[in-house]
């Protein structure tokens, strides 16, 4: 079995300000995952998860600023395809979509 995420993986959480995104990002941080950014269009420049995670308007901006190389997607089902394609287009090497 391959290991896809380790202590060096930098994760961006797409949908971090929503209910599922904030719930799971909080637990990811508690577990020790390096959540370096969140993405919610229109909420760039804010912070999430008790002010610990910067929020960006796009995955491209988050990757450029933080070097994120993995994405966890927590968006409503009608938007998941676009979220996956946005992550791939930004150069994210691992995408995990929870819808």
């Amino acid at each position: 079995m391959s290991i896809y995420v380790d202590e060096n993986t930098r994760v961006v959480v797409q949908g971090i300000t929503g209910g599922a995104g904030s719930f799971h990002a909080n637990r990811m941080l508690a577990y020790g995952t390096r959540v370096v950014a969140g993405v919610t269009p229109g909420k760039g420049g804010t912070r999430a998860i008790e002010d610990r995670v910067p929020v960006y308007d796009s995955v491209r901006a988050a990757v450029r600023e933080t070097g994120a190389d993995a994405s966890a997607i927590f968006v409503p089902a009608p938007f998941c395809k676009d979220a996956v394609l946005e992550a791939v287009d930004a150069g994210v090497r691992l995408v995990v979509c929870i819808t």
Side-chain angles (χ1 to χ4, degrees):
M1 175 184 270
S2 297
I3 297 173
Y4 296 107
V5 177
D6 63 20
E7 66 277 357
N8 299 308
T9 305
R10 294 172 307 279
V11 179
V12 57
V13 176
Q14 292 174 253
I16 195 167
T17 61
S22 62
F23 176 85
H24 290 289
N26 192 29
R27 273 124 192 103
M28 291 164 66
L29 286 163
Y31 185 75
T33 304
R34 288 180 61 190
V35 176
V36 297
V39 171
T40 300
K43 295 192 178 183
T46 63
R47 296 184 73 81
I49 316 300
E50 300 173 359
D51 208 35
R52 297 187 302 186
V53 181
V55 178
Y56 297 87
D57 286 320
S58 70
V59 177
R60 183 173 301 283
V63 168
R64 182 179 58 243
E65 294 294 320
T66 67
D69 55 1
S71 176
I73 300 176
F74 299 97
V75 301
F79 307 110
C80 69
K81 179 181 174 186
D82 287 337
V84 169
L85 292 174
E86 182 183 4
V88 170
D89 187 55
V92 175
R93 66 174 180 84
L94 174 67
V95 176
V96 178
C97 185
I98 309 297
T99 301

